[in-house]
Every structure is written in C-alpha cells, then in structure tokens.
Amino acid sequence: MKLTEANYYSQKANQAYFSVSQFKAFQKCEAAAMAELQGEFAPPKGRALLLGSYFDEMLTGTPNSQAKFIAENYTELFQKTSKMASMLSKLKTVKERKDFISGLTNIFSVDNKPFADVVQATDTVERVKAQPLMMKYLGGGHQKIMVGEIEGCHVKGKFDSYKPGEFIADLKYLKDFRSPNMFENAISFYSYDMQLAVYRELVRQNTGENLPCYLVIATKQDPADLAVVEINSFDLDNALEEFKKHIKHFQEQPEYSKEYTILCDSPVTEKV
C-alpha cells in the first residue's frame, strides 16, 4: 500500500503499517488499541489534541491544508455566538467552507471571537515565527512520509520537518515542560525520543543517513516558554531498542472483542 497525505491516517493504512502513536496506544491498553485498529472504537479526542493539531497546522501546513483544518473544526475554534461560526454553519460542505476561508485574512482576529485558548495558540504561533532558531528547524520539508521495516514489522512515519542531509525535527505544543513523573523527564515520559528515534531509523533505511534529531517546543503557558532541544544519540538508540523490544508482540496481538476494553484504565468511545 502506498501512503499519501490523503490515506496516511486511514484504518487501512494503520492496519498495514505500525506507527509510534499505535505503539503508545498499545502500551496504554492493548485491548483498546486492537479495538480501535479493528474499527470498533475511537479514543476520546480532547481539547489538547485539537490545539496541538491547530498549532502544528499553522506552523507546518500549507494554506490549503490550513483552510481545510479550520473548515473541519470551526465549531471548536470559534464561539457559537460569533459571526464567523454563523457564516460557516450556513455552508453545507467542508469544501464550501474551505473555499470561503481561503479568501479571508486575519481569520482569528478578536472580532471573529475565537476561543481564548485558540487566541493564545495563535499568539504563540506568531512568537515562534519570530524566532530564527525555531524556524530554522521548522524550515525543512513538511509532513514528509517515509516507511520502513523494524523487527520484521512495516512501520510508517510522518515528519513535521525534514531536511535531507541535515536534520529531522518534530514540533510539540505542551502544557509545560514538567513531567508527570518526577523520576523521568517529559521527553522520555511522553516518548518523544522514541518518535524521533523511529523517524531517524526510517530515514537511515531510505537514505543511509543518520541525522540529528530536534524537538521544537512551545508551551501553553502565558507567556509561552519556547525551546529547541536536540535529542542525543544515546537516548535515541535506547528509545529505538525499546521500540524493537515490544513491536512484534504488539503487532501479533489477537483480535479483542470490545468487551475486553473493561481491562483499560481509560475509557474509549464506541463509534456510531
């Protein structure tokens, strides 16, 4: 199966290729991860995921993909009482809304009544754009897709920023720099090092290059903390070994019925 921007996140693609996101889902609850893979459940998508996707899109997306994102999520971005939400609600399809949005400027102005956390994210996007070092590492090719094989399993990756021969970078929008685990730093706790380790391995398999890996980070605090962090090779190697250690077990899991999701600590949402 050839992966494209259009099918990368599809159920068929997720069944054909493993990803770090799937790996983390299996670590959390194997039953829920398998149920999601089989199309029986969808995990709840909270506000944090929406804001992270918005932040990524505004910094690494194209004008077309940005308009599409806003068209698909406008009810979560603008207050219901706003004129913007009212105008968009009258358009029946995503394409109509996207075409309308494409002709606008300064869509997230205060007059259009975006939610407060969207205003803050938009302000942080502008701060990041004003930082030369951050924009250097966001200056590679955006949303580059690569596939490879790790421990006999087909694996996919989609990079926020990739500059051949120079670097791989991933953009993160975090609550803050603190880890929920006092004995483990946030980068390791959230498996950001593993994500970049897998990306580095996919690049190595496809190009023969072992590239340095960076996190470009902004926090949701006001004002936001900003940072560029290089992940050292030792940590990348260890994270890749951790991925290799478990991936075959996760991929060979039997089919779970949805009743098995009661084993999970976190709820899942049945698809309707």
Side-chain angles (χ1 to χ4, degrees):
M1 177 184 182
K2 181 176 175 57
L3 295 182
T4 66
E5 180 71 28
N7 68 17
Y8 184 86
Y9 295 107
S10 68
Q11 185 179 346
K12 186 177 179 181
N14 288 339
Q15 291 171 341
Y17 293 92
F18 213 79
S19 68
V20 176
S21 295
Q22 286 174 298
F23 184 95
K24 291 194 286 187
F26 272 95
Q27 280 186 313
K28 188 174 183 180
C29 177
E30 294 179 14
M34 275 305 302
E36 182 183 359
L37 203 55
Q38 292 163 204
E40 291 190 7
F41 287 90
K45 295 182 178 179
R47 190 76 183 163
L49 181 61
L50 173 83
L51 290 171
S53 298
Y54 169 75
F55 191 75
D56 279 2
E57 190 62 58
M58 292 302 108
L59 282 166
T60 66
T62 64
N64 183 64
S65 68
Q66 290 168 355
K68 183 173 183 288
F69 179 86
I70 297 168
E72 291 174 338
N73 298 282
Y74 76 94
T75 58
E76 302 296 323
L77 299 172
F78 299 99
Q79 298 176 44
K80 189 176 182 180
T81 57
S82 70
K83 185 181 293 187
M84 179 60 64
S86 177
M87 288 189 294
L88 291 172
S89 69
K90 294 174 183 176
L91 302 175
K92 295 181 179 180
T93 67
V94 170
K95 184 180 184 307
E96 288 176 326
R97 292 195 293 270
K98 181 173 76 69
D99 291 343
F100 174 76
I101 290 165
S102 295
L104 301 177
T105 58
N106 199 22
I107 188 171
F108 290 105
S109 68
V110 175
D111 291 341
N112 288 330
K113 292 186 178 180
F115 287 107
D117 52 5
V118 176
V119 173
Q120 185 169 328
T122 304
D123 290 344
T124 304
V125 165
E126 296 307 313
R127 281 194 60 205
V128 170
K129 287 180 178 179
Q131 303 298 317
L133 183 63
M134 299 183 87
M135 293 310 295
K136 172 185 174 180
Y137 289 111
L138 292 177
H142 295 158
Q143 307 307 320
K144 171 69 176 176
I145 295 171
M146 278 193 188
V147 298
E149 192 172 291
I150 298 176
E151 295 297 296
C153 300
H154 297 296
V155 178
K156 64 176 179 174
K158 190 178 184 188
F159 314 154
D160 283 341
S161 182
Y162 164 60
K163 194 164 187 179
E166 293 194 29
F167 62 80
I168 307 161
D170 201 48
L171 177 64
K172 298 298 180 188
Y173 188 45
L174 309 180
K175 179 182 177 182
D176 53 46
F177 287 127
R178 291 175 294 183
S179 169
N181 183 347
M182 65 181 294
F183 300 106
E184 186 178 18
N185 65 57
I187 291 171
S188 175
F189 181 84
Y190 292 115
S191 299
Y192 297 151
D193 50 357
M194 180 180 290
Q195 186 173 10
L196 283 169
V198 170
Y199 290 175
R200 185 181 69 158
E201 175 62 13
L202 294 179
V203 170
R204 187 195 65 77
Q205 290 182 18
N206 282 274
T207 70
E209 298 175 329
N210 238 348
L211 298 183
C213 295
Y214 298 87
L215 288 170
V216 179
I217 305 172
T219 71
K220 297 173 184 175
Q221 297 159 302
D222 187 14
D225 285 333
L226 308 178
V228 174
V229 179
E230 181 176 5
I231 311 299
N232 65 64
S233 291
F234 178 81
D235 288 341
L236 290 169
D237 291 342
N238 284 343
L240 183 61
E241 287 305 311
E242 183 71 12
F243 187 83
K244 289 179 177 179
K245 180 179 176 182
H246 297 288
I247 183 173
K248 288 197 76 171
H249 166 71
F250 289 157
Q251 193 167 66
E252 292 170 358
Q253 285 301 296
E255 292 189 357
Y256 286 93
S257 68
K258 58 188 177 184
E259 285 77 15
Y260 277 92
T261 58
I262 62 174
L263 300 173
C264 303
D265 291 328
S266 58
V268 291
T269 304
E270 187 169 0
K271 287 187 175 179
V272 294

